[in-house]
Structures are given as C-alpha cells and as structure tokens.
Amino acid sequence: MGSLPHTSLPDAESSDLILTHPTQDEKYATWRLNSKEWKGALSEEDYLRREPYMETVPLSKDGGMQHWVLTSEASPEGSKRTVLSSCETLRKRVLVGDAAGQVKEGIAYGVGSVFTDPALRGNRYGARMLRELEKVLRNGAEPPECQQQRPLASALWSDIGKQFYAKKGWPAYPSLHVTFAIPGGVAAGDAEAARHARPITYDNLKELCDLDEKLMREQLAKPRSDGKMRFCFAPDYDIMRWHFYRDDIIARALFKDRGPTETKGAVAGPDGKRVWVLWVRNFHENPQDTAKNKMNETAPAEELAESFAAVMAKAHGYARDWKLGKIDLWNPTATISSLIEASRLQSEIVERHVDSIPSMRWYGEDEGEHVEWVANEKYCWN
Ligand SMILES: CC(C)(COP(=O)(O)OP(=O)(O)OC[C@H]1O[C@@H](n2cnc3c(N)ncnc32)[C@H](O)[C@@H]1OP(=O)(O)O)[C@@H](O)C(=O)NCCC(=O)NCCS
C-alpha cells in the first residue's frame, strides 16, 4: 500500500470506489501502517503477531471479525489497487428490552481500527468508507446465506473525540469512569479483605457470564414508564474471552520471563449475593511507568459492601503485582457508585472527552427514538 501522487488520487465521491475485504498483503500492509497508532507497549513485530492471532479467538473466528477497505475498482491494469481507508468489524450478541419489558436477542457490530494512511488523510476517504460501511452493516455484514438476524445496532469507541463519528450518525454515549489510585503500600485491612475474595479463572468464568446474562435479562424485563428501549451487549463467555485472549498475548510479549496469569477477576460473597469484577490490563508504552498504566473492570452484578471491599482489595493487589498505576471502572451503576462512596477507596470520577468514547447507531424498528445503553462498560469495547 504505497502513497499515490496527489494527481492520481480518486475523488472520495467517485462511483469507482468500493468497500470490500482486503487481501492478505493489504491486511499486513495496513497493520504495519497503523501499528504506530495501536501497538501500545508492543514492538511492531509483536503487534504483527497479535493482530492475526486476534482473528482466531472466540468472537472473531468463524467470520465474527471482518476487515474492510475502501479502494478503487478502476485501478489501471497490472497496478496494485490502493487502500484508501480501512477498518474492522466484530459481530456480538446483544439484548434489547422494550418499554413493556419484552426482551429479545439480536446482533450488533463493534467497529474498530478506523484508519487512513497519513499520506492520504483529509481527502474524505474515512467519511466515504464509513458511509459505505453503514449501508453494509445496516443489512448485515455476512453473506445472505449466513445471516441469521438483522442487526440491531453498530457501536464504536472513538479515540478522536465526540464530534467526528456523531456527525456521521454514531452519537456519543456517556464516557465516564471511576479511577482508583493504587497506593504503593498495602492499606491496613486490605490483605484481610482480599482473603474473602476468590479468583475468577477460566474454570468459573462461564458460570459467572451465564449468571450475568440472566441478571441482565431480568433487568431488561422490567417494564418502564418512560417508554425507552434498553440495549446491552450480552456479557457472554465469548465477549469476555476475546478480552482475556488479547490481554494474555500482550502480557506474554511484554513479560517474557513471567508466566501467564490465570486470574481474570475476583468474586466474593455467598450465592445470590455475590459481587464480582473482571479485569484486563492496559500497559503504557513504557510498562514500568506505572502512573500511566491502568486496569479496566466490568462492574459487579450483585451487591454487598463487604464483598465489594473484598474484590476491590483483590483488584488492588493484582494491580500492584503487575505495576499498574490505576484501576478504571467504566460507567458505574447507581449501586456501584454508592458502594464506592461508602467504601474507603481513593477514587475520582473522570469524563473522557477524546479517547474511548462509546458511540452507537441504532438500527431497530423504532429508529430515532432514544435508546438507553445499559451496562455501557469496558467489556463492550473492541
Ligand atoms: C480519523 C481518520 C480515520 C480520518 O481519516 P480521513 O480519511 O482523513 O477522514 P476524512 O478526510 O473523511 O475526514 C477528515 C475529518 O477527520 C477529522 N480528524 C482527523 N483526525 C482527527 C483527530 N485526531 N481528532 C478529531 N478529528 C480528526 C478532520 O478534522 C476532518 O474533520 P471534518 O470532517 O470536520 O472536516 C484518520 O485521521 C486516521 O487514520 N487517524 C489515525 C487513527 C485514528 O485515530 N482513527 C480513529 C480511531 S477511533
């Protein structure tokens, strides 16, 4: 994918432009170019290992993940076509509850890695690609014979503020998180509290995901007087494992002398009153720079102050062990917020204005009506 001299750049409105899937060479060329944006703490070599690996994990495999490029069909014969802009989509299960409390299941797409070669930027190729993608996603990105359901929505997490995608039809949703500082030393009582929490590993993860989905369905089944639809990404085993496989491959590349961690979160409390958190690590370009590292959590599904203290103590211990400078928890519910307030944890509420802005385009029947995104948490992100 080389840069074209300006004179031969196609017009972004040209009818010759098509949205299609990249060849293997085009995919690698795109990864090489966009590695500067998204490799984070990884070397380019490790990033070029992570991206194809992520095509093979749960959620992505069997056509769940698709790569897209905007290119020109009318390339001169024998010359390589030019990738004008690129992105990827990931199909996910979603749950929707209407005002009467009827719950149905569907699919939605997470859009990610929207990218234009720096040499080609500002020519409206990004905008044209998103317009073409929108037409495809609205009707289902899979070949007709593989389509089971019409999609209900597409979502993306903007790293370029709230305006760019909102203008293109993906309005921004709340982008708050609570950030917990990780003090150097273990606070008095933390070690004791952490003893009441058990680790979440691949052994008990599925059971908790199933329970989380059941609780989510119960929440969506409550009728609402304000007439609003409620929508959430199903907090299922595949969506969670996608995060953990990604987390593992990054940590393995960065910490070659440390074995993989089996701990994916913590759970505390008796059945029916359990609190649990799942977390992934996010390493800054310099993993030793703990102040810039963070850990993201999904919020617990059931509440109890003592159990909350236990899982948070466990999370703090894990963060300290991996030299992560803070823990971020996205869009806490009222219950979680009151648990945080009642705890003695040091925390601060942050509104993100530029990075990871959840943005969602609704394709449901009642298009235009305001839809509430329930559990708008980190697990939804891709
Ligand atoms: C964002 C990006 C895909 C736009 O591609 P493009 O082909 O230049 O897009 P277009 O020419 O259609 O649109 C240019 C618009 O993008 C806006 N834009 C570009 N970079 C931006 C940034 N970092 N923050 C805010 N807006 C940005 C321009 O201001 C312009 O806005 P306008 O439509 O109001 O005039 C491209 O700049 C890119 O690849 N950036 C690096 C990767 C990235 O951040 N991707 C988005 C991840 S969510």
Side-chain angles (χ1 to χ4, degrees):
M1 186 162 66
S3 305
L4 285 179
H6 268 297
T7 46
S8 53
L9 284 177
D11 188 301
E13 294 305 318
S14 165
S15 57
D16 290 337
L17 300 193
I18 52 162
L19 181 76
T20 185
H21 299 299
T23 62
Q24 205 61 358
D25 282 354
E26 287 169 340
K27 225 192 284 181
Y28 273 89
T30 301
W31 284 331
R32 248 174 242 117
L33 275 175
N34 70 25
S35 65
K36 288 177 200 71
E37 299 286 341
W38 293 308
K39 70 183 174 56
L42 294 177
S43 65
E44 183 178 312
E45 205 185 358
D46 285 331
Y47 177 75
L48 292 176
R49 264 190 219 114
R50 183 188 77 187
E51 293 306 286
Y53 169 73
M54 287 308 294
E55 294 180 284
T56 67
V57 304
L59 207 66
S60 308
K61 62 183 184 183
D62 303 326
M65 181 183 204
Q66 299 202 62
H67 295 268
W68 303 93
V69 290
L70 179 78
T71 187
S72 176
E73 214 169 14
S75 299
E77 213 172 313
S79 78
K80 275 209 291 189
R81 65 183 188 180
T82 302
V83 169
L84 302 168
S85 200
S86 56
C87 66
E88 58 197 38
T89 54
L90 198 52
R91 188 181 56 225
K92 301 177 186 188
R93 284 174 57 240
V94 293
L95 306 171
V96 177
D98 66 16
Q102 241 192 0
V103 180
K104 68 175 179 182
E105 192 178 315
I107 59 151
Y109 298 99
V111 180
S113 301
V114 175
F115 181 82
T116 299
D117 179 345
L120 304 179
R121 284 182 196 167
N123 289 302
R124 306 266 149 224
Y125 296 137
R128 174 73 189 270
M129 177 181 69
L130 290 168
R131 222 163 64 222
E132 298 302 322
L133 183 72
E134 157 57 14
K135 290 183 214 158
V136 171
L137 297 187
R138 180 174 286 276
N139 296 309
E142 293 74 32
E145 64 278 13
C146 304
Q147 278 182 25
Q148 289 153 5
Q149 291 146 315
R150 253 194 100 232
L152 290 170
S154 63
L156 51 85
W157 290 264
S158 171
D159 288 334
I160 54 172
K162 298 183 180 181
Q163 296 305 318
F164 180 78
Y165 293 103
K167 280 201 258 172
K168 290 165 180 59
W170 281 270
Y173 275 71
S175 53
L176 297 175
H177 65 255
V178 183
T179 191
F180 300 89
I182 308 293
V186 182
D190 261 15
E192 177 53 29
R195 268 196 277 278
H196 295 287
R198 303 176 296 284
I200 298 175
T201 65
Y202 285 123
D203 289 339
N204 55 354
L205 176 64
K206 179 156 190 323
E207 173 213 330
L208 290 169
C209 290
D210 290 348
L211 180 55
D212 209 3
E213 181 166 339
K214 183 174 162 276
L215 293 168
M216 200 66 89
R217 283 175 183 272
E218 283 169 15
Q219 188 184 336
L220 297 177
K222 289 186 187 136
R224 282 268 291 253
S225 55
D226 61 8
K228 276 187 191 168
M229 298 278 288
R230 282 149 300 155
F231 152 94
C232 74
F233 283 93
D236 64 26
Y237 192 41
D238 280 357
I239 211 170
M240 298 305 175
R241 283 190 300 166
W242 181 90
H243 285 278
F244 295 135
Y245 281 75
R246 187 175 182 278
D247 174 81
D248 278 340
I249 191 172
I250 296 170
R252 260 185 287 144
L254 296 178
F255 301 95
K256 295 198 166 64
D257 48 350
R258 272 190 88 159
T261 170
E262 289 191 357
T263 305
K264 309 296 175 204
V267 54
D271 281 5
K273 289 204 165 179
R274 278 183 290 187
V275 174
W276 67 89
V277 295
L278 298 173
W279 55 65
V280 289
R281 297 158 288 182
N282 188 351
F283 298 104
H284 185 252
E285 277 162 40
N286 173 2
Q288 302 312 315
D289 188 356
T290 56
K292 287 180 181 141
N293 287 328
K294 59 181 194 256
M295 180 162 67
N296 299 289
E297 299 189 5
T298 66
E302 297 163 279
E303 78 269 16
L304 191 79
E306 204 180 304
S307 302
F308 181 69
V311 295
M312 290 307 290
K314 200 90 173 164
H316 277 66
Y318 184 90
R320 223 174 272 118
D321 185 28
W322 284 94
K323 297 191 167 41
L324 301 162
K326 57 178 181 154
I327 297 173
D328 288 347
L329 189 154
W330 282 19
N331 292 322
T333 58
T335 310
I336 303 301
S337 297
S338 58
L339 282 168
I340 295 169
E341 241 168 71
S343 77
R344 52 182 178 73
L345 295 166
Q346 280 178 42
S347 66
E348 188 192 338
I349 297 173
V350 176
E351 181 176 1
R352 298 183 306 282
H353 293 283
V354 177
D355 292 330
S356 288
I357 311 290
S359 310
M360 200 257 286
R361 185 166 194 150
W362 181 248
Y363 301 138
E365 293 141 21
D366 20 31
E367 205 162 354
E369 186 187 331
H370 183 66
V371 177
E372 185 181 322
W373 182 342
V374 180
N376 169 4
E377 297 167 17
K378 179 73 182 191
Y379 79 90
C380 308
W381 174 92
N382 66 268

